Amino acid sequence: MKRKIAYSSVAVCAAGFYWVLDAVVCSLLLHRGTFLQSVADSSPGILSRRLLAVVFILGAGLVLALRARARRVSPYGRSEDGKFRDLVENINDVVFSLDLEGCITYCNPVLERISGYKPAEVVGSSFASFVHPEDLPGLRRSMERTLAGAVEPHEFRVKDRQGKILYVRTSSRLFFQGGKPVGISGVMTDITALREREKRLRQLSRAVEENPCSIIITDAEGQIEYVNPKFTAVTGYEADEVLGRNPRLLAATNLGREDYEELWKQILSGRTWRGEFHNRKKSGELYWEWASISPVRDESGKITHFVAVKEDITERKFSDEALRESEEKYRMLFSNEFSAVALSSEESGRFIDVNAPFVKLFGYTADELTLMHVEDIFAPPSQVPTQPRLRPAGAPQKTPVQWCRKKDGTVFPVEMSRGTFPWKGGTMVCAVFADMSDRLRWEQAMEELSSLDALTGLANRRVFDEWLEREWNRAVRKGESLALIMVDVDHFKAFNDTHGHQRGDDCLRLVADALKACTRRSGDLVARYGGEEFVVILPETRSGGAREVAEAMRAAVEEVTVDGKQPAVTVSLGVSCQKASEGPHPATLIDAADRALYKAKELGGNRVAVSGPHPEPRKQVR
């Protein structure tokens, strides 16, 4: 199409040139008087018309030429043969243009593939409306620099049609018409996958840097390219002291030629080699390492690097040597050990040897056990009974309980201790088992007889009942008063819902400590009555004294803080006081205190209420 327009322009210009030439020739002939006089008389009119035709033809040719040039330089490649349009619309990146206000005026179809938006849906929208709010300040600064004439890349996050966050990089610049800036054109590249790869690389790098084992990376020739911090901690060599050198610089005793040949044969074939090295630290100290060396391949499958992961096994090595030196003594101890002992391979999980007590405990013969996997002696989760709590809350359990299964199917608890040591190129596991059936039954009985509340450490309900009965009988004999305080944490359910049960338990423990701190006499008792309720027995105490103690407790709880917040909770307290001879049973004292507690709750909480001589009937809703 462009060629046709160009040919037309040339034809028009040629015609114009012909008319000009004809007019000039005619003019010259007229002036020289060589033509007929009749022709000469009419020549001026003809010449004028010819000149006008020339001007018209030249103007038309100029317009056609300018239109052809305009088509060749139109933005975004809008050429007549569509080559530049195809380039813009099929490029892998988003091509866009904005007006000076930041509104989108054009986007190529690639936008739909990347974000899900069709170009027609975003044209006329503000570019900033698609940008993550946290990146808007940076976008504004980038726009300002672009409007100032700068051309620089900028990275930010945008939202696609489904709201997914994409990472993009843009490069934009001003474009001009008539020497004036009319908008911004740019290219936007989706770099989300790149950012994800960078994140994974950072995670991998952190895992290598913080690994508890020494890690060495060498090139294909065995020259060190990287060591992690643990390598420096173990060997004493800094990274720059070993880079470019062979790991053999650590060797205290060389491996045999056959060992080295086997090592290289395995790693060059793509397999992992595992074995021991006897090495020397920078300080000269000798140590043993258990190493695993693996090859690393590139995309074509060619081995480019080797990675060695090493663990210091010096202590285990010495233990192994000592074990070998005293093999006979070990065998005697193992065979005559009163506890059940089993040796197994950590790699295969198979039994290697067991002693007589182990055979007796589990009911299997030694030959049967050597054909079994270690996991076969443990009871499956479906057969494990609910384990009783052996100790008060918070007390550490030194050895966890394991549940095992005998040959006859009996499930029983054991206490197991386990250790490992190197053995014949592998790792041996030595496990000692002790039957805990009798111990569990005994500890369960002790817990049932325990006098303490497991959560707060206060006396439990059983102790409170016994204490109240005893103090009531003593007060009857002496004709003394007995006071009782019922304490309830205000709005504790709301506290639990807000902070969680763990914080709720912490709060109850702190409240219990505050209440207990307000009692001084050996005969006073603070107990947990149930849930968030506490009860206090004050022997030989009258109503006024009991009220003072209750007020002190209320104030002490106000000082309790949980997670730095004060007050964490408040309490309501009901006080009752009676002469023991005036009531038929201590339950009357509890009932009176409970009614007073309800009154304190009804008045808004965080207060003390004292039971009067004629309390109102008890209401059931509190």
Side-chain angles (χ1 to χ4, degrees):
M1 185 66 184
K2 289 192 295 184
R3 290 182 178 179
K4 291 181 179 180
I5 295 175
Y7 292 155
S8 300
S9 301
V10 171
V12 171
C13 291
F17 178 76
Y18 171 80
W19 281 98
V20 170
L21 181 62
D22 182 56
V24 171
V25 171
C26 291
S27 176
L28 290 175
L29 291 174
L30 288 172
H31 283 289
R32 291 177 179 269
T34 57
F35 250 125
L36 298 173
Q37 188 64 39
S38 60
V39 176
D41 292 339
S42 59
S43 295
I46 296 173
L47 183 59
S48 298
R49 288 192 298 273
R50 288 184 175 179
L51 288 175
L52 287 174
V54 168
V55 171
F56 176 77
I57 292 172
L58 289 177
L62 181 60
V63 169
L64 290 174
L66 290 175
R67 285 189 63 187
R69 178 174 179 81
R71 286 179 177 269
R72 290 194 296 272
V73 299
S74 178
Y76 312 119
R78 298 193 179 201
S79 60
E80 293 175 5
D81 61 2
K83 291 182 179 179
F84 294 110
R85 172 187 288 274
D86 290 343
L87 176 63
V88 170
E89 293 187 350
N90 292 285
I91 196 172
N92 287 329
D93 299 326
V94 176
V95 178
F96 65 92
S97 64
L98 313 175
D99 60 20
L100 296 179
E101 301 300 323
C103 290
I104 301 171
T105 58
Y106 172 79
C107 273
N108 66 345
V110 180
L111 177 70
E112 183 176 2
R113 175 171 58 82
I114 292 178
S115 69
Y117 287 105
K118 294 182 179 180
E121 293 177 314
V122 301
V123 170
S125 302
S126 171
F127 188 80
S129 64
F130 300 97
V131 177
H132 193 285
E134 295 178 3
D135 296 342
L136 285 176
L139 175 66
R140 295 189 185 99
R141 290 191 295 270
S142 177
M143 290 281 291
E144 291 172 358
R145 290 192 293 269
T146 300
L147 292 173
V151 179
E152 58 184 32
H154 182 68
E155 296 182 7
F156 50 88
R157 292 166 291 176
V158 298
K159 295 174 289 187
D160 68 5
R161 193 182 189 90
Q162 285 73 39
K164 180 183 176 182
I165 299 300
L166 304 176
Y167 289 84
V168 298
R169 179 189 293 122
T170 63
S171 179
S172 56
R173 67 190 307 161
L174 280 173
F175 67 85
F176 298 81
Q177 286 185 1
K180 295 182 179 181
V182 295
I184 297 172
S185 62
V187 176
M188 181 170 67
T189 304
D190 183 2
I191 60 171
T192 305
L194 175 62
R195 288 289 170 265
E196 291 297 327
R197 286 194 296 271
E198 291 176 349
K199 179 181 178 181
R200 288 194 293 270
L201 286 174
R202 285 194 298 269
Q203 292 172 341
L204 178 61
S205 175
R206 190 178 300 112
V208 171
E209 290 286 330
E210 300 176 3
N211 200 288
C213 297
S214 299
I215 296 179
I216 302 175
I217 300 177
T218 72
D219 61 17
E221 303 300 323
Q223 305 304 309
I224 298 175
E225 293 188 353
Y226 169 83
V227 293
N228 70 341
K230 183 64 176 181
F231 173 88
T232 299
V234 171
T235 67
Y237 286 99
E238 297 293 337
D240 55 3
E241 295 180 288
V242 298
L243 295 182
R245 304 178 67 180
N246 193 285
R248 285 196 297 271
L249 71 96
L250 299 172
T253 56
N254 292 327
L255 291 176
R257 180 177 179 180
E258 293 181 357
D259 294 328
Y260 271 116
E261 290 178 352
E262 178 62 23
L263 186 157
W264 280 101
K265 179 181 178 181
Q266 286 197 38
I267 61 179
L268 289 176
S269 67
R271 294 178 293 165
T272 298
W273 179 88
R274 295 180 179 87
E276 294 180 357
F277 289 113
H278 193 202
N279 289 340
R280 188 187 304 277
K281 300 182 181 182
K282 184 178 180 180
S283 63
E285 179 185 354
L286 298 176
Y287 70 105
W288 287 89
E289 282 186 321
W290 175 258
S292 173
I293 304 176
S294 304
V296 178
R297 300 177 183 272
D298 61 13
E299 294 81 358
S300 64
K302 178 183 177 182
I303 295 176
T304 60
H305 294 83
F306 297 103
V307 177
V309 180
K310 299 182 175 184
E311 180 184 4
D312 187 346
I313 59 168
T314 305
E315 293 184 5
R316 288 190 300 180
K317 189 71 174 179
F318 288 153
S319 298
D320 188 28
E321 291 176 356
L323 184 62
R324 286 197 299 267
E325 291 172 0
S326 59
E327 176 67 27
E328 188 60 33
K329 183 184 296 185
Y330 151 74
R331 176 56 57 185
M332 290 177 60
L333 290 173
F334 177 75
S335 300
N336 296 284
E337 171 65 46
F338 291 105
S339 298
V341 182
L343 298 177
S344 62
S345 168
E346 187 172 61
E347 287 77 16
S348 68
R350 298 284 180 179
F351 284 105
I352 296 175
D353 199 0
V354 296
N355 66 354
F358 189 94
V359 171
K360 182 179 179 180
L361 177 62
F362 285 89
Y364 294 98
T365 66
D367 291 338
E368 287 175 329
L369 286 166
T370 54
L371 299 175
M372 295 169 57
H373 194 280
V374 173
E375 293 297 326
D376 295 337
I377 68 170
F378 291 99
S382 60
Q383 296 183 12
V384 174
T386 303
Q387 185 177 351
R389 190 176 68 241
L390 302 180
R391 298 168 179 81
Q397 184 171 301
K398 186 175 182 180
T399 303
V401 176
Q402 299 285 341
W403 290 86
C404 293
R405 183 173 55 186
K406 298 183 179 183
K407 183 178 180 179
D408 62 8
T410 303
V411 175
F412 68 106
V414 299
E415 184 178 68
M416 185 182 75
S417 58
R418 179 180 182 274
T420 61
F421 55 90
W423 183 263
K424 296 182 179 180
T427 301
M428 182 84 76
V429 179
C430 178
V432 180
F433 297 81
D435 189 348
M436 291 186 65
S437 301
D438 294 337
R439 178 178 168 184
L440 278 183
R441 285 191 290 269
W442 179 83
E443 290 190 353
Q444 180 63 23
M446 291 301 100
E447 184 178 6
E448 292 174 356
L449 296 175
S450 174
S451 61
L452 297 180
D453 174 68
L455 175 64
T456 63
L458 299 177
N460 59 20
R461 178 72 174 269
R462 180 183 60 82
V463 174
F464 163 74
D465 291 338
E466 294 175 354
W467 197 288
L468 179 60
E469 185 76 21
R470 184 173 62 249
E471 290 298 326
W472 179 271
N473 293 333
R474 189 177 67 85
V476 168
R477 290 193 305 270
K478 294 187 176 183
E480 295 173 345
S481 297
L482 184 63
L484 189 71
I485 304 174
M486 296 286 290
V487 185
D488 186 84
V489 180
D490 297 327
H491 311 297
F492 188 70
K493 183 179 183 303
F495 183 93
N496 254 346
D497 292 342
T498 302
H499 300 282
H501 291 288
Q502 183 61 49
R503 289 291 183 269
D505 289 348
D506 295 340
C507 180
L508 289 178
R509 281 190 283 268
L510 293 171
V511 169
D513 292 340
L515 297 177
K516 191 172 183 179
C518 295
T519 58
R520 296 289 185 268
R521 301 180 304 176
S522 59
D524 297 342
L525 177 73
V526 180
R528 186 180 181 192
Y529 198 67
E532 64 270 20
E533 287 187 317
F534 302 87
V535 64
V536 184
I537 299 176
L538 302 175
E540 302 179 10
T541 305
R542 296 185 179 181
S543 180
R547 184 185 183 96
E548 289 180 3
V549 173
E551 284 289 351
M553 289 180 171
R554 186 197 62 78
V557 173
E558 276 194 321
E559 298 298 320
V560 171
T561 62
V562 175
D563 293 340
K565 297 179 180 179
Q566 181 183 1
V569 292
T570 59
V571 292
S572 297
L573 303 96
V575 179
S576 67
C577 182
Q578 294 181 14
K579 277 193 175 183
S581 59
E582 294 178 354
H585 192 272
T588 60
L589 194 65
I590 298 174
D591 190 58
D594 194 35
R595 292 176 186 278
L597 174 61
Y598 177 81
K599 182 178 179 181
K601 286 277 190 182
E602 195 174 37
L603 293 174
N606 192 22
R607 66 185 66 239
V608 176
V610 180
S611 175
H614 301 290
E616 297 177 358
R618 179 179 178 182
K619 297 180 181 179
Q620 295 299 321
V621 180
R622 187 183 307 157

